[in-house]
Amino acid sequence: MNDKAPLTMKDIARELGISVSTVSRALKDSSRISAERRAMIQQFAREHNFTPNVLAESLRHSKVQPIKIIGVIIPEFTHFYFSSVLAGIEEEASARGYRIMVAQSGENYEREVRICQSFFENKVCGIIVSQAKDTKKYDHFERLMDAGVPLVFYDRICTGVNASRVVVDDYRGAFNAVTHLIETGCKRIAFYGSAPTLEISKNRFNGYKDALLNHGLKYDETMTRICDNRADAEAVTPELLQQETPPDGFFAVNDDTAIGILYTAKRMGFRVPDDISICGFTNGQRAVACDPMLTTVEQRGMKVGEEAVDILIDQVEGIIPREKAERRVVRTRLVVRGTTR
């Protein structure tokens, strides 16, 4: 068992080789279970600090109102997209009579696990989360769901957990962006993406690659980089631009990375967009604060946050069945500005 996540009745049942219903009855001191077995199960629960989920129990009785606090986990506060999602969550939650409790994972798995445990202990009615970049194990999410806590993922979804999710159409957004680069004259387009373990990175890469193939351009793996922030973009871009045949276009997984490419290219004497076209993905405030202003894919973070809250509250209030994994896609749009022809 993982001591860093809340212990559930399912865990106790697995450890003792008995059914969950037997554990439940024993913990309620039911006479249907022998006194000896009740004592054994109760002792095991005490020794492993088992805490019954009062919220999950209360939600089974329609006359009991759930605690109206939603836990929200964001990877980082400073990222424009996540802050806009948070704004959408707060606005919609407030309109429906709920409050939010927010924590930042800092892109750290261990911290994310601790936050989940803290939210559970504070009896939130559900959790909205975008997983950290280095999250590879999903036990902490599964335990929450086993304990009756609804989860809704946004942006970075957890494919290993059958939970509700809200995403933007990453594939179509990337496909349209790269198509725009090609149709405005680019022939050698580089791709800067996040770790391939993240679903958003896979989808944006596939959109990039399919746009090339759809327009008769050969995919060249030497034109792709794992790079999703400005500092890394400024570090790796010179090598690409110093090639004998450098890229004439860049598609980046987010605006900060695209801006890193922009300022590196300008510093090296390239003209944007005459020599090089650049497209980002977010459409945050920085996209209009750079020179020239950035062509980018708008993610509509506010809308993502609103949709995530609607799903979660509907599940808490029984409008959507708890066992149904709701999936919603928010459409993106390409915003053309000065970094493309």
Side-chain angles (χ1 to χ4, degrees), residues 108-123:
N108 181 272
Y109 164 76
E110 297 291 346
R111 188 170 177 180
E112 184 178 85
V113 171
R114 291 194 299 271
I115 293 169
C116 284
Q117 184 168 358
S118 174
F119 280 168
F120 178 82
E121 291 169 353
N122 280 281
K123 302 295 187 287

Side-chain angles (χ1 to χ4, degrees), residues 9-27:
M9 285 191 286
K10 186 176 178 180
D11 297 323
I12 297 174
R14 184 174 60 246
E15 290 295 314
L16 297 180
I18 56 180
S19 69
V20 175
S21 61
T22 298
V23 174
S24 177
R25 291 188 185 113
L27 294 177

Side-chain angles (χ1 to χ4, degrees), residues 152 164-166 307-315 326 328:
V152 177
S164 296
R165 60 193 61 173
V166 180
E307 292 285 346
V309 167
D310 277 340
I311 293 173
L312 186 69
I313 294 177
D314 283 352
Q315 289 184 326
E326 187 85 357
R328 295 185 190 174

Side-chain angles (χ1 to χ4, degrees), residues 15-260:
E15 290 295 314
L16 297 180
I18 56 180
S19 69
V20 175
S21 61
T22 298
V23 174
S24 177
R25 291 188 185 113
L27 294 177
K28 292 176 181 176
D29 218 24
S30 170
S31 59
R32 295 179 62 183
I33 309 298
S34 69
E36 183 180 355
R37 174 163 281 198
R38 288 203 308 270
M40 181 267 291
I41 295 170
Q42 290 170 4
Q43 181 179 352
F44 183 91
R46 285 194 299 272
E47 289 174 350
H48 292 83
N49 300 316
F50 172 73
T51 304
N53 187 354
V54 177
L55 171 65
E57 185 66 25
S58 70
L59 291 177
R60 283 192 279 270
H61 302 86
S62 60
K63 293 181 180 179
V64 178
Q65 290 296 316
I67 301 169
K68 292 191 170 185
I69 299 178
I70 298 168
V72 182
I73 304 176
I74 67 172
E76 52 181 340
F77 284 117
T78 56
H79 196 293
F80 173 83
Y81 175 67
F82 293 127
S83 64
S84 64
V85 172
L86 183 60
I89 290 172
E90 199 283 328
E91 186 170 302
E92 187 66 14
S94 178
R96 296 191 62 174
Y98 286 70
R99 291 178 293 152
I100 64 173
M101 182 185 298
V102 187
Q104 174 182 244
S105 70
E107 304 287 15
N108 181 272
Y109 164 76
E110 297 291 346
R111 188 170 177 180
E112 184 178 85
V113 171
R114 291 194 299 271
I115 293 169
C116 284
Q117 184 168 358
S118 174
F119 280 168
F120 178 82
E121 291 169 353
N122 280 281
K123 302 295 187 287
V124 296
C125 65
I127 297 174
I128 298 173
V129 56
S130 181
Q131 71 178 52
K133 284 181 185 176
D134 66 351
T135 294
K136 306 294 190 300
K137 296 184 294 183
Y138 312 120
D139 290 358
H140 53 307
F141 295 138
E142 290 172 338
R143 289 172 184 272
L144 286 167
M145 294 184 69
D146 288 344
V149 181
L151 290 183
V152 177
F153 288 91
Y154 68 93
D155 191 52
R156 300 182 196 157
I157 62 174
C158 178
T159 55
V161 175
N162 187 34
S164 296
R165 60 193 61 173
V166 180
V167 296
V168 299
D169 55 346
D170 292 296
Y171 172 88
R172 180 57 55 183
F175 183 91
N176 291 342
V178 176
T179 294
H180 170 69
L181 291 171
I182 295 168
E183 291 179 346
T184 53
C186 296
K187 303 291 185 186
R188 286 175 51 81
I189 302 170
F191 173 82
Y192 284 18
S194 300
T197 53
L198 294 174
E199 200 69 13
I200 62 165
S201 190
K202 292 179 192 175
N203 291 336
R204 292 178 195 178
F205 172 74
N206 288 335
Y208 155 79
K209 189 175 180 180
D210 286 354
L212 295 179
L213 299 176
N214 193 58
H215 290 82
L217 298 179
K218 185 178 178 181
Y219 164 65
D220 181 356
E221 66 180 12
T222 67
M223 300 285 282
T224 65
R225 296 290 185 275
I226 303 300
C227 175
D228 62 2
N229 60 73
R230 178 170 178 169
D232 287 350
E234 293 183 0
V236 305
T237 301
E239 175 230 335
L240 276 172
L241 292 180
Q242 287 166 357
Q243 292 180 355
E244 186 174 339
T245 310
D248 58 5
F250 287 84
F251 172 65
V253 72
N254 58 45
D255 286 358
D256 282 353
T257 303
I259 290 168

